[in-house]
Structures are given as structure tokens and as C-alpha cells.
């Protein structure tokens, strides 16, 4: 089989840069890498395997000769260019939420449902970052003792809102320390020394925001378990690039923290960081730049006398396992 031509749509963005790095670090076999972004980036070059590659402007013609297109330029770009991409014969791996709940589009975390990739009809969706970071460690638990209910609170980094939001966090922090006035333009609220409920649209029916509802719906689709009950609270915190999440998990049968720890010790894509003696647990600063999701603070849920619930805390790099790494792992399955 000849090596694929790979394109990155949104190559200059926060996830795009990590996609280039993941392809390079994982030695992804490819014939050619094409970098696509908006007209604003025309003339820029980016480094891949020691060579400078010119960024091209994304057009409907961009997909000619492309075998795999990794999209990370937002949902509207994904929707606008999906037809052109698929018509050109390229498989689209989409980081946006545009196609995730489409019944014809597999929603894939390679550690959980790699076989779903085979069902694709041209598009494969990469799940929401908070979903990936929460449920990659939960899958091996679910397989041994079905999870019936998940309560999750997120502490989400700026990177989830793109490179401009990361810059805004840095600039806002500098301004705060210098006692200069600062008006945010990317995110709706001051971010430095603050936190706020995720700025996704609120669904008037449920009162949950769309980020929270993604955790509900995507977990069911990826686990292929429509019965799992999920409640989420999503919050943006002033951290640059790794999300943390507090999880309370209720299983069908009693489960002990020791059992959970043993399961997570051998879980793919997970590293247990759980040291009560030193009070050392998953932190976004340790998760940043790591492919593995850190999991710890494993303890019984004292509010559930049935012994079926456990609590844990996880942290994972939003740009890597939450986005670019997962997408490249999907490409590897192809
Ligand atoms: P550009 O840098 O040329 O604006 P982030 O998620 O970090 O905000 O990055 C968004 C990515 O999507 C960038 O690579 C950006 O390119 C790209 N992008 C935004 N709008 C368009 C567009 N209209 N056509 C192609 N790429 C786009």
C-alpha cells in the first residue's frame, strides 16, 4: 500500500500545531503533509521533519490527492468543507462537534471503540476533549463492573477555546499583575485569577450548557450504552492547556478503591498518580505535554452506603489526548 497524503485543516491553530508535532513524534507514515489555514496565514511556513512547509489557503480544491484530512478549524469550517473533502476521496477526521452525534459518523477513542472506525462513510469524529479525558480511564472500569451513573465536574483550560484564548489568559494575567485595565475579547469574562461557567450556549430546556450536554451524549455513544446516566458541570479555569475533572462513578455492583486502582494501573493511555502520603495527585501542570491521562484521588464515595460508588480526579492535556493525539491515533487505525 502506498503511503498516504495527509492534510491538516487549521494547521496554524493551537490543535493544528500539536497535530504536526504528533505526526512527527509518532513517526506517522506519510508521503506528503499539506498544511491548510485561512488566507491570513498564506506565506507562513511551519516545520515538519526538518523541512519548512508552506501554509496554503483552504479552498474546495485543497483536498485533491489527499487521503486523510485532519480538521481542526472549528465546526463551521468542518461543515462547509466536509462534502468537498469526502468527494475528493479523503477520509475526514474531525475535531469539531459538527458530526459527532450523526448516526453515520463513528465517534472514536482508540482505547475504547477502535472497531467503530470501520463503519465510517468518509467522516470520523474526534470526541469533545472533556469527554475523552473523563471516559478513557472509565472504560476499563465499565467493562468489569458496568457504570450506571457518572457525575463530573470539569476544570477546563484556556486551550479548549483556541490559541487566541491562551494568549488572552497570558495577557490578562500580565495586565492584572501590572494593575492595568484589561477587557477580554475572546472569552466573555475576565480569566486571570477567576473562573467561570463554560461559555457554551445554555440549553433552555435542561439548563445545562452545550459542553455539559456533550459529556452526556458522547459518553453514551462511545460506550454504546444509551442507559448510562451522566450529569456534568463544566467550568473554565485559568490554566493554559490541561483539563482536570472530578468524577464520581456509580457501578452496578460494589467496587473498592483498590479494585479501581488495580484496573487503572493497566489501563491503556492512563497513568495512576495517587500518593496520599505526599498529597500528590493529578495536576494540569504535570499532565501538560503528556499523552497519558493522569488519574488519582481514588476513594470510596462516602455518600453512597451501598459501596457501588467511587470518586477520582483526572487531568489530561486538552491539546494532546483531548484533541490532536486522539485524532492521530484514529489516523493510525486507518
Ligand atoms: P488562521 O491561523 O489562518 O486564522 P484555534 O483553534 O487555535 O483558534 O485555531 C483555528 C485554526 O482554524 C487556525 O489554524 C485558523 O487559521 C483556522 N481557520 C480559521 N478560520 C478559517 C477559515 N475561514 N479557513 C481556513 N482556516 C481557518
Amino acid at each position: 500500500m502506498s503511503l498516504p497524503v495527509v492534510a491538516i485543516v487549521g494547521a496554524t491553530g493551537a490543535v493544528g500545531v500539536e497535530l504536526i508535532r504528533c505526526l512527527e513524534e509518532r513517526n506517522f507514515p506519510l508521503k506528503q503533509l499539506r498544511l491548510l489555514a485561512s488566507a491570513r496565514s498564506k506565506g507562513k511556513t511551519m516545520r515538519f521533519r526538518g523541512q519548512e512547509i508552506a501554509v496554503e489557503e483552504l479552498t474546495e480544491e485543497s483536498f485533491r490527492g489527499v487521503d486523510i484530512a485532519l480538521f481542526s478549524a472549528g465546526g463551521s469550517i468542518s461543515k462547509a468543507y466536509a462534502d468537498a473533502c469526502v468527494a475528493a476521496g479523503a477520509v475526514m477526521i474531525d475535531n469539531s462537534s459538527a458530526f459527532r452525534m450523526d448516526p453515520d459518523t463513528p465517534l472514536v477513542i482508540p482505547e475504547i471503540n477502535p472497531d467503530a472506525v470501520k463503519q465510517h462513510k468518509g467522516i470520523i469524529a474526534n470526541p469533545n476533549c472533556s469527554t475523552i479525558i473523563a471516559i478513557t480511564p472509565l472504560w476499563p472500569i465499565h467493562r468489569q463492573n458496568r457504570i450506571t451513573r457518572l457525575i463530573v465536574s470539569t476544570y477546563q483550560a484556556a486551550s479548549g477555546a483556541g490559541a487566541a484564548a491562551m494568549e488572552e489568559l497570558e495577557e490578562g494575567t500580565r495586565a492584572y499583575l501590572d494593575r492595568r485595565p484589561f477587557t477580554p475579547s475572546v472569552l466573555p469574562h475576565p480569566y486571570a485569577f477567576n473562573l467561570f461557567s463554560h461559555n457554551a450556549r445554555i440549553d433552555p430546556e435542561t439548563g445545562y450548557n452545550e459542553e455539559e450536554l456533550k459529556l452526556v451524549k458522547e459518553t453514551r455513544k462511545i460506550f454504546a450504552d444509551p442507559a448510562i446516566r451522566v450529569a456534568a458541570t463544566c467550568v473554565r479555569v485559568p490554566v493554559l492547556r490541561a483539563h482536570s475533572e472530578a468524577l464520581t462513578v456509580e457501578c452496578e455492583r460494589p467496587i473498592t478503591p483498590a479494585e479501581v486502582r488495580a484496573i487503572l494501573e493497566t489501563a491503556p493511555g492512563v497513568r495512576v498518580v495517587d500518593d496520599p502520603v505526599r498529597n500528590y495527585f493529578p495536576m494540569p501542570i504535570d499532565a501538560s505535554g503528556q499523552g497519558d491521562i493522569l488519574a488519582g484521588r481514588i476513594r470510596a464515595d462516602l455518600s453512597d452506603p451501598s459501596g457501588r460508588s467511587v470518586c477520582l480526579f483526572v487531568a489530561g492535556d486538552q491539546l494532546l489526548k483531548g484533541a490532536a493525539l486522539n485524532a492521530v491515533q484514529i489516523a493510525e487505525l486507518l
Side-chain angles (χ1 to χ4, degrees), residues 48-113:
F48 177 66
R49 292 184 181 158
Q51 296 198 327
E52 293 296 327
I53 301 181
V55 179
E56 304 166 59
E57 181 182 353
L58 172 67
T59 70
E60 301 233 325
E61 314 306 314
S62 300
F63 303 98
R64 208 173 290 151
V66 171
D67 299 296
I68 298 174
L70 302 160
F71 273 67
S72 194
S76 53
I77 298 288
S78 292
K79 281 187 196 146
Y81 289 90
D83 286 348
C85 175
V86 175
V91 178
M92 170 176 184
I93 300 175
D94 185 26
N95 250 300
S96 83
S97 61
F99 300 100
R100 285 183 194 146
M101 296 315 296
D102 168 16
D104 284 338
T105 303
L107 183 63
V108 178
I109 299 177
E111 287 85 350
I112 300 179
N113 59 343

Side-chain angles (χ1 to χ4, degrees), residues 8-17 36-42 44 55-59 72-74 76-77 81 159-166 319:
I8 298 178
V9 177
T12 50
V15 175
V17 169
L36 306 166
S38 78
R40 292 179 291 273
S41 296
K42 247 176 111 176
K44 260 193 198 164
V55 179
E56 304 166 59
E57 181 182 353
L58 172 67
T59 70
S72 194
S76 53
I77 298 288
Y81 289 90
S159 56
M166 296 170 81
L319 294 173

Side-chain angles (χ1 to χ4, degrees), residues 288-331:
S288 294
Q290 303 294 313
D292 282 342
I293 293 162
L294 312 182
R297 294 232 65 205
I298 304 162
R299 61 212 195 279
D301 172 5
L302 293 180
S303 73
D304 177 9
S306 76
R308 291 182 297 121
S309 305
V310 283
C311 302
L312 54 155
F313 193 75
V314 297
D317 190 312
Q318 185 273 329
L319 294 173
L320 290 177
K321 186 57 188 164
L325 172 59
N326 199 74
V328 170
Q329 286 177 298
I330 293 173

